[in-house]
PDB file of all heavy atoms in Angstrom:
ATOM      1  N   MET A 653     -20.518 -23.059  10.784  1.00  0.00           N
ATOM      2  CA  MET A 653     -19.781 -21.956  11.395  1.00  0.00           C
ATOM      3  C   MET A 653     -18.352 -21.894  10.857  1.00  0.00           C
ATOM      4  O   MET A 653     -17.826 -20.805  10.585  1.00  0.00           O
ATOM      5  CB  MET A 653     -19.770 -22.114  12.907  1.00  0.00           C
ATOM      6  CG  MET A 653     -21.119 -21.885  13.566  1.00  0.00           C
ATOM      7  SD  MET A 653     -21.767 -20.212  13.256  1.00  0.00           S
ATOM      8  CE  MET A 653     -20.561 -19.207  14.132  1.00  0.00           C
ATOM      9  N   VAL A 654     -17.720 -23.066  10.687  1.00  0.00           N
ATOM     10  CA  VAL A 654     -16.363 -23.081  10.120  1.00  0.00           C
ATOM     11  C   VAL A 654     -16.381 -22.530   8.697  1.00  0.00           C
ATOM     12  O   VAL A 654     -15.492 -21.769   8.300  1.00  0.00           O
ATOM     13  CB  VAL A 654     -15.789 -24.517  10.152  1.00  0.00           C
ATOM     14  CG1 VAL A 654     -14.513 -24.602   9.320  1.00  0.00           C
ATOM     15  CG2 VAL A 654     -15.492 -24.936  11.581  1.00  0.00           C
ATOM     16  N   ALA A 655     -17.423 -22.933   7.918  1.00  0.00           N
ATOM     17  CA  ALA A 655     -17.526 -22.423   6.557  1.00  0.00           C
ATOM     18  C   ALA A 655     -17.721 -20.905   6.552  1.00  0.00           C
ATOM     19  O   ALA A 655     -17.126 -20.184   5.734  1.00  0.00           O
ATOM     20  CB  ALA A 655     -18.689 -23.108   5.828  1.00  0.00           C
ATOM     21  N   ILE A 656     -18.562 -20.417   7.488  1.00  0.00           N
ATOM     22  CA  ILE A 656     -18.787 -18.977   7.567  1.00  0.00           C
ATOM     23  C   ILE A 656     -17.498 -18.263   7.939  1.00  0.00           C
ATOM     24  O   ILE A 656     -17.142 -17.225   7.344  1.00  0.00           O
ATOM     25  CB  ILE A 656     -19.902 -18.673   8.595  1.00  0.00           C
ATOM     26  CG1 ILE A 656     -21.261 -19.168   8.074  1.00  0.00           C
ATOM     27  CG2 ILE A 656     -19.964 -17.174   8.892  1.00  0.00           C
ATOM     28  CD1 ILE A 656     -22.373 -19.039   9.080  1.00  0.00           C
ATOM     29  N   VAL A 657     -16.801 -18.820   8.937  1.00  0.00           N
ATOM     30  CA  VAL A 657     -15.523 -18.209   9.339  1.00  0.00           C
ATOM     31  C   VAL A 657     -14.538 -18.221   8.180  1.00  0.00           C
ATOM     32  O   VAL A 657     -13.824 -17.246   7.938  1.00  0.00           O
ATOM     33  CB  VAL A 657     -14.939 -18.966  10.554  1.00  0.00           C
ATOM     34  CG1 VAL A 657     -13.509 -18.523  10.822  1.00  0.00           C
ATOM     35  CG2 VAL A 657     -15.792 -18.702  11.788  1.00  0.00           C
ATOM     36  N   GLY A 658     -14.513 -19.359   7.430  1.00  0.00           N
ATOM     37  CA  GLY A 658     -13.608 -19.434   6.289  1.00  0.00           C
ATOM     38  C   GLY A 658     -13.943 -18.408   5.225  1.00  0.00           C
ATOM     39  O   GLY A 658     -13.052 -17.726   4.704  1.00  0.00           O
ATOM     40  N   CYS A 659     -15.249 -18.304   4.892  1.00  0.00           N
ATOM     41  CA  CYS A 659     -15.671 -17.317   3.887  1.00  0.00           C
ATOM     42  C   CYS A 659     -15.375 -15.896   4.371  1.00  0.00           C
ATOM     43  O   CYS A 659     -14.898 -15.051   3.587  1.00  0.00           O
ATOM     44  CB  CYS A 659     -17.166 -17.480   3.597  1.00  0.00           C
ATOM     45  SG  CYS A 659     -17.583 -19.017   2.758  1.00  0.00           S
ATOM     46  N   LEU A 660     -15.678 -15.648   5.651  1.00  0.00           N
ATOM     47  CA  LEU A 660     -15.395 -14.323   6.204  1.00  0.00           C
ATOM     48  C   LEU A 660     -13.896 -14.043   6.159  1.00  0.00           C
ATOM     49  O   LEU A 660     -13.469 -12.922   5.843  1.00  0.00           O
ATOM     50  CB  LEU A 660     -15.905 -14.247   7.646  1.00  0.00           C
ATOM     51  CG  LEU A 660     -15.721 -12.895   8.359  1.00  0.00           C
ATOM     52  CD1 LEU A 660     -16.484 -11.800   7.622  1.00  0.00           C
ATOM     53  CD2 LEU A 660     -16.191 -12.970   9.804  1.00  0.00           C
ATOM     54  N   GLY A 661     -13.098 -15.083   6.484  1.00  0.00           N
ATOM     55  CA  GLY A 661     -11.648 -14.905   6.432  1.00  0.00           C
ATOM     56  C   GLY A 661     -11.179 -14.581   5.032  1.00  0.00           C
ATOM     57  O   GLY A 661     -10.309 -13.726   4.834  1.00  0.00           O
ATOM     58  N   ILE A 662     -11.762 -15.267   4.019  1.00  0.00           N
ATOM     59  CA  ILE A 662     -11.376 -15.007   2.630  1.00  0.00           C
ATOM     60  C   ILE A 662     -11.766 -13.589   2.220  1.00  0.00           C
ATOM     61  O   ILE A 662     -10.987 -12.867   1.574  1.00  0.00           O
ATOM     62  CB  ILE A 662     -12.029 -16.049   1.704  1.00  0.00           C
ATOM     63  CG1 ILE A 662     -11.430 -17.437   1.978  1.00  0.00           C
ATOM     64  CG2 ILE A 662     -11.837 -15.668   0.240  1.00  0.00           C
ATOM     65  CD1 ILE A 662     -12.120 -18.549   1.226  1.00  0.00           C
ATOM     66  N   ILE A 663     -12.994 -13.190   2.607  1.00  0.00           N
ATOM     67  CA  ILE A 663     -13.449 -11.842   2.246  1.00  0.00           C
ATOM     68  C   ILE A 663     -12.575 -10.789   2.903  1.00  0.00           C
ATOM     69  O   ILE A 663     -12.105  -9.831   2.255  1.00  0.00           O
ATOM     70  CB  ILE A 663     -14.923 -11.659   2.660  1.00  0.00           C
ATOM     71  CG1 ILE A 663     -15.832 -12.575   1.826  1.00  0.00           C
ATOM     72  CG2 ILE A 663     -15.351 -10.202   2.494  1.00  0.00           C
ATOM     73  CD1 ILE A 663     -17.260 -12.600   2.289  1.00  0.00           C
ATOM     74  N   LEU A 664     -12.339 -10.963   4.216  1.00  0.00           N
ATOM     75  CA  LEU A 664     -11.492  -9.999   4.914  1.00  0.00           C
ATOM     76  C   LEU A 664     -10.058 -10.054   4.400  1.00  0.00           C
ATOM     77  O   LEU A 664      -9.366  -9.030   4.349  1.00  0.00           O
ATOM     78  CB  LEU A 664     -11.522 -10.292   6.424  1.00  0.00           C
ATOM     79  CG  LEU A 664     -12.862 -10.045   7.124  1.00  0.00           C
ATOM     80  CD1 LEU A 664     -12.765 -10.406   8.598  1.00  0.00           C
ATOM     81  CD2 LEU A 664     -13.293  -8.583   6.970  1.00  0.00           C
ATOM     82  N   SER A 665      -9.627 -11.265   4.016  1.00  0.00           N
ATOM     83  CA  SER A 665      -8.284 -11.400   3.470  1.00  0.00           C
ATOM     84  C   SER A 665      -8.147 -10.619   2.173  1.00  0.00           C
ATOM     85  O   SER A 665      -7.180  -9.881   1.966  1.00  0.00           O
ATOM     86  CB  SER A 665      -7.971 -12.881   3.222  1.00  0.00           C
ATOM     87  OG  SER A 665      -6.748 -13.020   2.547  1.00  0.00           O
ATOM     88  N   TYR A 666      -9.154 -10.776   1.311  1.00  0.00           N
ATOM     89  CA  TYR A 666      -9.092 -10.038   0.041  1.00  0.00           C
ATOM     90  C   TYR A 666      -9.176  -8.539   0.287  1.00  0.00           C
ATOM     91  O   TYR A 666      -8.425  -7.753  -0.316  1.00  0.00           O
ATOM     92  CB  TYR A 666     -10.234 -10.479  -0.867  1.00  0.00           C
ATOM     93  CG  TYR A 666     -10.293  -9.694  -2.159  1.00  0.00           C
ATOM     94  CD1 TYR A 666      -9.408  -9.968  -3.198  1.00  0.00           C
ATOM     95  CD2 TYR A 666     -11.218  -8.657  -2.325  1.00  0.00           C
ATOM     96  CE1 TYR A 666      -9.440  -9.240  -4.376  1.00  0.00           C
ATOM     97  CE2 TYR A 666     -11.252  -7.924  -3.500  1.00  0.00           C
ATOM     98  CZ  TYR A 666     -10.369  -8.221  -4.522  1.00  0.00           C
ATOM     99  OH  TYR A 666     -10.405  -7.494  -5.682  1.00  0.00           O
ATOM    100  N   SER A 667     -10.078  -8.152   1.193  1.00  0.00           N
ATOM    101  CA  SER A 667     -10.211  -6.726   1.505  1.00  0.00           C
ATOM    102  C   SER A 667      -8.915  -6.180   2.099  1.00  0.00           C
ATOM    103  O   SER A 667      -8.452  -5.097   1.736  1.00  0.00           O
ATOM    104  CB  SER A 667     -11.372  -6.522   2.481  1.00  0.00           C
ATOM    105  OG  SER A 667     -11.465  -5.173   2.871  1.00  0.00           O
ATOM    106  N   GLY A 668      -8.321  -6.972   3.036  1.00  0.00           N
ATOM    107  CA  GLY A 668      -7.065  -6.536   3.639  1.00  0.00           C
ATOM    108  C   GLY A 668      -5.943  -6.471   2.634  1.00  0.00           C
ATOM    109  O   GLY A 668      -5.115  -5.549   2.650  1.00  0.00           O
ATOM    110  N   TRP A 669      -5.919  -7.485   1.722  1.00  0.00           N
ATOM    111  CA  TRP A 669      -4.878  -7.473   0.696  1.00  0.00           C
ATOM    112  C   TRP A 669      -5.027  -6.258  -0.201  1.00  0.00           C
ATOM    113  O   TRP A 669      -4.036  -5.592  -0.529  1.00  0.00           O
ATOM    114  CB  TRP A 669      -4.974  -8.751  -0.131  1.00  0.00           C
ATOM    115  CG  TRP A 669      -4.047  -8.742  -1.328  1.00  0.00           C
ATOM    116  CD1 TRP A 669      -2.744  -9.089  -1.353  1.00  0.00           C
ATOM    117  CD2 TRP A 669      -4.390  -8.349  -2.667  1.00  0.00           C
ATOM    118  NE1 TRP A 669      -2.236  -8.938  -2.604  1.00  0.00           N
ATOM    119  CE2 TRP A 669      -3.217  -8.480  -3.443  1.00  0.00           C
ATOM    120  CE3 TRP A 669      -5.554  -7.887  -3.275  1.00  0.00           C
ATOM    121  CZ2 TRP A 669      -3.187  -8.178  -4.794  1.00  0.00           C
ATOM    122  CZ3 TRP A 669      -5.530  -7.577  -4.625  1.00  0.00           C
ATOM    123  CH2 TRP A 669      -4.352  -7.730  -5.368  1.00  0.00           C
ATOM    124  N   GLN A 670      -6.272  -5.972  -0.608  1.00  0.00           N
ATOM    125  CA  GLN A 670      -6.506  -4.821  -1.481  1.00  0.00           C
ATOM    126  C   GLN A 670      -6.123  -3.527  -0.779  1.00  0.00           C
ATOM    127  O   GLN A 670      -5.460  -2.651  -1.368  1.00  0.00           O
ATOM    128  CB  GLN A 670      -7.990  -4.777  -1.889  1.00  0.00           C
ATOM    129  CG  GLN A 670      -8.328  -3.762  -2.965  1.00  0.00           C
ATOM    130  CD  GLN A 670      -7.754  -4.161  -4.314  1.00  0.00           C
ATOM    131  OE1 GLN A 670      -7.682  -5.333  -4.634  1.00  0.00           O
ATOM    132  NE2 GLN A 670      -7.325  -3.192  -5.084  1.00  0.00           N
ATOM    133  N   SER A 671      -6.516  -3.399   0.493  1.00  0.00           N
ATOM    134  CA  SER A 671      -6.191  -2.184   1.242  1.00  0.00           C
ATOM    135  C   SER A 671      -4.688  -2.047   1.428  1.00  0.00           C
ATOM    136  O   SER A 671      -4.116  -0.963   1.250  1.00  0.00           O
ATOM    137  CB  SER A 671      -6.906  -2.225   2.598  1.00  0.00           C
ATOM    138  OG  SER A 671      -6.514  -1.133   3.402  1.00  0.00           O
ATOM    139  N   ARG A 672      -4.041  -3.170   1.801  1.00  0.00           N
ATOM    140  CA  ARG A 672      -2.601  -3.125   2.037  1.00  0.00           C
ATOM    141  C   ARG A 672      -1.843  -2.879   0.728  1.00  0.00           C
ATOM    142  O   ARG A 672      -0.832  -2.161   0.701  1.00  0.00           O
ATOM    143  CB  ARG A 672      -2.163  -4.443   2.675  1.00  0.00           C
ATOM    144  CG  ARG A 672      -0.823  -4.382   3.363  1.00  0.00           C
ATOM    145  CD  ARG A 672      -0.579  -5.621   4.203  1.00  0.00           C
ATOM    146  NE  ARG A 672      -1.343  -5.576   5.453  1.00  0.00           N
ATOM    147  CZ  ARG A 672      -2.364  -6.326   5.718  1.00  0.00           C
ATOM    148  NH1 ARG A 672      -2.799  -7.196   4.837  1.00  0.00           N
ATOM    149  NH2 ARG A 672      -3.006  -6.237   6.882  1.00  0.00           N
ATOM    150  N   TYR A 673      -2.356  -3.463  -0.365  1.00  0.00           N
ATOM    151  CA  TYR A 673      -1.720  -3.250  -1.668  1.00  0.00           C
ATOM    152  C   TYR A 673      -1.807  -1.778  -2.067  1.00  0.00           C
ATOM    153  O   TYR A 673      -0.812  -1.175  -2.512  1.00  0.00           O
ATOM    154  CB  TYR A 673      -2.407  -4.131  -2.721  1.00  0.00           C
ATOM    155  CG  TYR A 673      -1.895  -3.930  -4.121  1.00  0.00           C
ATOM    156  CD1 TYR A 673      -0.714  -4.529  -4.539  1.00  0.00           C
ATOM    157  CD2 TYR A 673      -2.601  -3.140  -5.028  1.00  0.00           C
ATOM    158  CE1 TYR A 673      -0.239  -4.340  -5.828  1.00  0.00           C
ATOM    159  CE2 TYR A 673      -2.133  -2.951  -6.322  1.00  0.00           C
ATOM    160  CZ  TYR A 673      -0.956  -3.558  -6.709  1.00  0.00           C
ATOM    161  OH  TYR A 673      -0.490  -3.363  -7.990  1.00  0.00           O
ATOM    162  N   ASN A 674      -2.993  -1.182  -1.907  1.00  0.00           N
ATOM    163  CA  ASN A 674      -3.155   0.238  -2.233  1.00  0.00           C
ATOM    164  C   ASN A 674      -2.291   1.107  -1.324  1.00  0.00           C
ATOM    165  O   ASN A 674      -1.709   2.113  -1.774  1.00  0.00           O
ATOM    166  CB  ASN A 674      -4.624   0.642  -2.106  1.00  0.00           C
ATOM    167  CG  ASN A 674      -5.492  -0.018  -3.158  1.00  0.00           C
ATOM    168  OD1 ASN A 674      -5.007  -0.400  -4.224  1.00  0.00           O
ATOM    169  ND2 ASN A 674      -6.769  -0.177  -2.877  1.00  0.00           N
ATOM    170  N   GLU A 675      -2.201   0.726  -0.044  1.00  0.00           N
ATOM    171  CA  GLU A 675      -1.393   1.498   0.895  1.00  0.00           C
ATOM    172  C   GLU A 675       0.080   1.466   0.503  1.00  0.00           C
ATOM    173  O   GLU A 675       0.766   2.493   0.529  1.00  0.00           O
ATOM    174  CB  GLU A 675      -1.580   0.948   2.305  1.00  0.00           C
ATOM    175  CG  GLU A 675      -0.775   1.689   3.358  1.00  0.00           C
ATOM    176  CD  GLU A 675      -0.886   1.044   4.725  1.00  0.00           C
ATOM    177  OE1 GLU A 675      -1.589   0.024   4.841  1.00  0.00           O
ATOM    178  OE2 GLU A 675      -0.264   1.566   5.676  1.00  0.00           O
ATOM    179  N   THR A 676       0.564   0.269   0.141  1.00  0.00           N
ATOM    180  CA  THR A 676       1.974   0.171  -0.250  1.00  0.00           C
ATOM    181  C   THR A 676       2.249   0.948  -1.536  1.00  0.00           C
ATOM    182  O   THR A 676       3.318   1.553  -1.683  1.00  0.00           O
ATOM    183  CB  THR A 676       2.377  -1.294  -0.438  1.00  0.00           C
ATOM    184  OG1 THR A 676       1.507  -1.923  -1.394  1.00  0.00           O
ATOM    185  CG2 THR A 676       2.292  -2.053   0.879  1.00  0.00           C
ATOM    186  N   LYS A 677       1.277   0.944  -2.439  1.00  0.00           N
ATOM    187  CA  LYS A 677       1.448   1.727  -3.658  1.00  0.00           C
ATOM    188  C   LYS A 677       1.535   3.219  -3.337  1.00  0.00           C
ATOM    189  O   LYS A 677       2.354   3.959  -3.913  1.00  0.00           O
ATOM    190  CB  LYS A 677       0.277   1.459  -4.619  1.00  0.00           C
ATOM    191  CG  LYS A 677       0.336   0.112  -5.317  1.00  0.00           C
ATOM    192  CD  LYS A 677       1.505   0.035  -6.271  1.00  0.00           C
ATOM    193  CE  LYS A 677       1.500  -1.277  -7.051  1.00  0.00           C
ATOM    194  NZ  LYS A 677       2.678  -1.396  -7.937  1.00  0.00           N
ATOM    195  N   GLN A 678       0.690   3.667  -2.425  1.00  0.00           N
ATOM    196  CA  GLN A 678       0.721   5.080  -2.028  1.00  0.00           C
ATOM    197  C   GLN A 678       2.041   5.424  -1.348  1.00  0.00           C
ATOM    198  O   GLN A 678       2.620   6.487  -1.591  1.00  0.00           O
ATOM    199  CB  GLN A 678      -0.455   5.376  -1.095  1.00  0.00           C
ATOM    200  CG  GLN A 678      -1.812   5.305  -1.767  1.00  0.00           C
ATOM    201  CD  GLN A 678      -2.951   5.467  -0.776  1.00  0.00           C
ATOM    202  OE1 GLN A 678      -2.728   5.653   0.416  1.00  0.00           O
ATOM    203  NE2 GLN A 678      -4.177   5.396  -1.278  1.00  0.00           N
ATOM    204  N   ILE A 679       2.518   4.499  -0.481  1.00  0.00           N
ATOM    205  CA  ILE A 679       3.796   4.748   0.186  1.00  0.00           C
ATOM    206  C   ILE A 679       4.923   4.812  -0.835  1.00  0.00           C
ATOM    207  O   ILE A 679       5.797   5.697  -0.773  1.00  0.00           O
ATOM    208  CB  ILE A 679       4.064   3.652   1.230  1.00  0.00           C
ATOM    209  CG1 ILE A 679       3.079   3.789   2.407  1.00  0.00           C
ATOM    210  CG2 ILE A 679       5.499   3.705   1.736  1.00  0.00           C
ATOM    211  CD1 ILE A 679       3.178   2.679   3.418  1.00  0.00           C
ATOM    212  N   ALA A 680       4.926   3.868  -1.778  1.00  0.00           N
ATOM    213  CA  ALA A 680       5.961   3.866  -2.808  1.00  0.00           C
ATOM    214  C   ALA A 680       5.907   5.139  -3.643  1.00  0.00           C
ATOM    215  O   ALA A 680       6.942   5.736  -3.980  1.00  0.00           O
ATOM    216  CB  ALA A 680       5.811   2.627  -3.696  1.00  0.00           C
ATOM    217  N   GLN A 681       4.678   5.551  -3.985  1.00  0.00           N
ATOM    218  CA  GLN A 681       4.525   6.783  -4.780  1.00  0.00           C
ATOM    219  C   GLN A 681       5.005   7.999  -3.987  1.00  0.00           C
ATOM    220  O   GLN A 681       5.712   8.873  -4.524  1.00  0.00           O
ATOM    221  CB  GLN A 681       3.042   6.957  -5.160  1.00  0.00           C
ATOM    222  CG  GLN A 681       2.765   8.138  -6.072  1.00  0.00           C
ATOM    223  CD  GLN A 681       3.342   7.935  -7.456  1.00  0.00           C
ATOM    224  OE1 GLN A 681       3.213   6.871  -8.034  1.00  0.00           O
ATOM    225  NE2 GLN A 681       4.014   8.947  -7.982  1.00  0.00           N
ATOM    226  N   ARG A 682       4.635   8.064  -2.716  1.00  0.00           N
ATOM    227  CA  ARG A 682       5.045   9.187  -1.875  1.00  0.00           C
ATOM    228  C   ARG A 682       6.564   9.210  -1.685  1.00  0.00           C
ATOM    229  O   ARG A 682       7.204  10.270  -1.735  1.00  0.00           O
ATOM    230  CB  ARG A 682       4.330   9.102  -0.530  1.00  0.00           C
ATOM    231  CG  ARG A 682       4.525  10.317   0.347  1.00  0.00           C
ATOM    232  CD  ARG A 682       3.482  10.384   1.448  1.00  0.00           C
ATOM    233  NE  ARG A 682       3.494   9.220   2.304  1.00  0.00           N
ATOM    234  CZ  ARG A 682       2.520   8.311   2.345  1.00  0.00           C
ATOM    235  NH1 ARG A 682       1.455   8.444   1.560  1.00  0.00           N
ATOM    236  NH2 ARG A 682       2.584   7.287   3.163  1.00  0.00           N
ATOM    237  N   ALA A 683       7.142   8.010  -1.486  1.00  0.00           N
ATOM    238  CA  ALA A 683       8.596   7.933  -1.320  1.00  0.00           C
ATOM    239  C   ALA A 683       9.309   8.356  -2.595  1.00  0.00           C
ATOM    240  O   ALA A 683      10.336   9.054  -2.553  1.00  0.00           O
ATOM    241  CB  ALA A 683       8.996   6.510  -0.939  1.00  0.00           C
ATOM    242  N   ALA A 684       8.770   7.944  -3.740  1.00  0.00           N
ATOM    243  CA  ALA A 684       9.385   8.334  -5.007  1.00  0.00           C
ATOM    244  C   ALA A 684       9.342   9.852  -5.188  1.00  0.00           C
ATOM    245  O   ALA A 684      10.321  10.474  -5.630  1.00  0.00           O
ATOM    246  CB  ALA A 684       8.661   7.647  -6.164  1.00  0.00           C
ATOM    247  N   THR A 685       8.202  10.459  -4.833  1.00  0.00           N
ATOM    248  CA  THR A 685       8.069  11.917  -4.973  1.00  0.00           C
ATOM    249  C   THR A 685       9.054  12.650  -4.054  1.00  0.00           C
ATOM    250  O   THR A 685       9.759  13.585  -4.479  1.00  0.00           O
ATOM    251  CB  THR A 685       6.633  12.337  -4.651  1.00  0.00           C
ATOM    252  OG1 THR A 685       5.739  11.672  -5.556  1.00  0.00           O
ATOM    253  CG2 THR A 685       6.463  13.841  -4.793  1.00  0.00           C
ATOM    254  N   ARG A 686       9.107  12.237  -2.806  1.00  0.00           N
ATOM    255  CA  ARG A 686      10.002  12.911  -1.859  1.00  0.00           C
ATOM    256  C   ARG A 686      11.468  12.684  -2.209  1.00  0.00           C
ATOM    257  O   ARG A 686      12.300  13.602  -2.103  1.00  0.00           O
ATOM    258  CB  ARG A 686       9.719  12.416  -0.450  1.00  0.00           C
ATOM    259  CG  ARG A 686       8.333  12.800   0.077  1.00  0.00           C
ATOM    260  CD  ARG A 686       8.213  12.582   1.561  1.00  0.00           C
ATOM    261  NE  ARG A 686       9.191  13.375   2.300  1.00  0.00           N
ATOM    262  CZ  ARG A 686       9.325  13.352   3.622  1.00  0.00           C
ATOM    263  NH1 ARG A 686       8.531  12.562   4.337  1.00  0.00           N
ATOM    264  NH2 ARG A 686      10.233  14.081   4.223  1.00  0.00           N
ATOM    265  N   LEU A 687      11.794  11.447  -2.635  1.00  0.00           N
ATOM    266  CA  LEU A 687      13.178  11.183  -3.006  1.00  0.00           C
ATOM    267  C   LEU A 687      13.561  11.960  -4.255  1.00  0.00           C
ATOM    268  O   LEU A 687      14.707  12.440  -4.367  1.00  0.00           O
ATOM    269  CB  LEU A 687      13.371   9.682  -3.231  1.00  0.00           C
ATOM    270  CG  LEU A 687      14.815   9.216  -3.385  1.00  0.00           C
ATOM    271  CD1 LEU A 687      15.640   9.569  -2.155  1.00  0.00           C
ATOM    272  CD2 LEU A 687      14.876   7.713  -3.652  1.00  0.00           C
ATOM    273  N   ALA A 688      12.616  12.104  -5.177  1.00  0.00           N
ATOM    274  CA  ALA A 688      12.890  12.900  -6.377  1.00  0.00           C
ATOM    275  C   ALA A 688      13.185  14.348  -6.001  1.00  0.00           C
ATOM    276  O   ALA A 688      14.116  14.972  -6.548  1.00  0.00           O
ATOM    277  CB  ALA A 688      11.704  12.826  -7.336  1.00  0.00           C
ATOM    278  N   ASP A 689      12.413  14.880  -5.060  1.00  0.00           N
ATOM    279  CA  ASP A 689      12.664  16.255  -4.611  1.00  0.00           C
ATOM    280  C   ASP A 689      14.052  16.366  -3.970  1.00  0.00           C
ATOM    281  O   ASP A 689      14.786  17.340  -4.217  1.00  0.00           O
ATOM    282  CB  ASP A 689      11.589  16.677  -3.608  1.00  0.00           C
ATOM    283  CG  ASP A 689      10.215  16.813  -4.256  1.00  0.00           C
ATOM    284  OD1 ASP A 689      10.156  16.932  -5.493  1.00  0.00           O
ATOM    285  OD2 ASP A 689       9.214  16.794  -3.507  1.00  0.00           O
ATOM    286  N   GLU A 690      14.401  15.355  -3.151  1.00  0.00           N
ATOM    287  CA  GLU A 690      15.710  15.397  -2.497  1.00  0.00           C
ATOM    288  C   GLU A 690      16.848  15.267  -3.506  1.00  0.00           C
ATOM    289  O   GLU A 690      17.861  15.967  -3.407  1.00  0.00           O
ATOM    290  CB  GLU A 690      15.808  14.270  -1.457  1.00  0.00           C
ATOM    291  CG  GLU A 690      14.923  14.445  -0.238  1.00  0.00           C
ATOM    292  CD  GLU A 690      15.310  15.671   0.573  1.00  0.00           C
ATOM    293  OE1 GLU A 690      16.496  15.829   0.887  1.00  0.00           O
ATOM    294  OE2 GLU A 690      14.410  16.471   0.875  1.00  0.00           O
ATOM    295  N   VAL A 691      16.689  14.363  -4.462  1.00  0.00           N
ATOM    296  CA  VAL A 691      17.735  14.194  -5.475  1.00  0.00           C
ATOM    297  C   VAL A 691      17.911  15.475  -6.279  1.00  0.00           C
ATOM    298  O   VAL A 691      19.052  15.911  -6.545  1.00  0.00           O
ATOM    299  CB  VAL A 691      17.391  13.002  -6.395  1.00  0.00           C
ATOM    300  CG1 VAL A 691      18.318  12.975  -7.612  1.00  0.00           C
ATOM    301  CG2 VAL A 691      17.501  11.690  -5.630  1.00  0.00           C
ATOM    302  N   ASP A 692      16.792  16.087  -6.664  1.00  0.00           N
ATOM    303  CA  ASP A 692      16.882  17.345  -7.398  1.00  0.00           C
ATOM    304  C   ASP A 692      17.563  18.416  -6.558  1.00  0.00           C
ATOM    305  O   ASP A 692      18.406  19.186  -7.053  1.00  0.00           O
ATOM    306  CB  ASP A 692      15.483  17.822  -7.805  1.00  0.00           C
ATOM    307  CG  ASP A 692      15.009  17.142  -9.080  1.00  0.00           C
ATOM    308  OD1 ASP A 692      15.858  16.534  -9.760  1.00  0.00           O
ATOM    309  OD2 ASP A 692      13.805  17.215  -9.379  1.00  0.00           O
ATOM    310  N   TYR A 693      17.195  18.472  -5.280  1.00  0.00           N
ATOM    311  CA  TYR A 693      17.787  19.492  -4.412  1.00  0.00           C
ATOM    312  C   TYR A 693      19.286  19.294  -4.290  1.00  0.00           C
ATOM    313  O   TYR A 693      20.074  20.238  -4.477  1.00  0.00           O
ATOM    314  CB  TYR A 693      17.130  19.425  -3.029  1.00  0.00           C
ATOM    315  CG  TYR A 693      17.845  20.269  -1.992  1.00  0.00           C
ATOM    316  CD1 TYR A 693      17.710  21.666  -1.979  1.00  0.00           C
ATOM    317  CD2 TYR A 693      18.691  19.663  -1.057  1.00  0.00           C
ATOM    318  CE1 TYR A 693      18.382  22.426  -1.038  1.00  0.00           C
ATOM    319  CE2 TYR A 693      19.365  20.423  -0.115  1.00  0.00           C
ATOM    320  CZ  TYR A 693      19.202  21.814  -0.117  1.00  0.00           C
ATOM    321  OH  TYR A 693      19.886  22.574   0.798  1.00  0.00           O
ATOM    322  N   TYR A 694      19.722  18.064  -3.972  1.00  0.00           N
ATOM    323  CA  TYR A 694      21.153  17.844  -3.779  1.00  0.00           C
ATOM    324  C   TYR A 694      21.916  17.870  -5.103  1.00  0.00           C
ATOM    325  O   TYR A 694      23.103  18.205  -5.132  1.00  0.00           O
ATOM    326  CB  TYR A 694      21.381  16.531  -3.042  1.00  0.00           C
ATOM    327  CG  TYR A 694      21.057  16.641  -1.572  1.00  0.00           C
ATOM    328  CD1 TYR A 694      19.892  16.116  -1.040  1.00  0.00           C
ATOM    329  CD2 TYR A 694      21.919  17.331  -0.718  1.00  0.00           C
ATOM    330  CE1 TYR A 694      19.579  16.250   0.311  1.00  0.00           C
ATOM    331  CE2 TYR A 694      21.623  17.462   0.634  1.00  0.00           C
ATOM    332  CZ  TYR A 694      20.450  16.928   1.141  1.00  0.00           C
ATOM    333  OH  TYR A 694      20.155  17.083   2.477  1.00  0.00           O
ATOM    334  N   ASN A 695      21.248  17.518  -6.165  1.00  0.00           N
ATOM    335  CA  ASN A 695      21.906  17.682  -7.464  1.00  0.00           C
ATOM    336  C   ASN A 695      22.131  19.156  -7.772  1.00  0.00           C
ATOM    337  O   ASN A 695      23.199  19.559  -8.275  1.00  0.00           O
ATOM    338  CB  ASN A 695      21.050  17.037  -8.557  1.00  0.00           C
ATOM    339  CG  ASN A 695      21.686  17.149  -9.931  1.00  0.00           C
ATOM    340  OD1 ASN A 695      22.653  16.470 -10.252  1.00  0.00           O
ATOM    341  ND2 ASN A 695      21.153  18.041 -10.757  1.00  0.00           N
TER     342      ASN A 695
END
């Protein structure tokens, strides 16, 4: 059971890391786009 929990934790950890990594990339991309629009506007 400990081994199963450990394997499940690793799988969920990798899945969570991948999801969180993709989410942060999307946030960074979205922030860059919006900030670019704001910089262009105020410029």
Side-chain angles (χ1 to χ4, degrees):
M653 290 300 294
V654 169
I656 291 174
V657 169
C659 292
L660 182 61
I662 293 173
I663 293 172
L664 293 179
S665 173
Y666 176 77
S667 176
W669 173 85
Q670 189 70 35
S671 174
R672 198 169 284 109
Y673 176 80
N674 293 336
E675 180 185 0
T676 56
K677 285 293 184 183
Q678 292 174 1
I679 291 174
Q681 184 68 45
R682 188 162 59 249
T685 300
R686 294 193 60 181
L687 190 59
D689 292 341
E690 291 296 310
V691 169
D692 277 346
Y693 170 76
Y694 285 104
N695 181 74

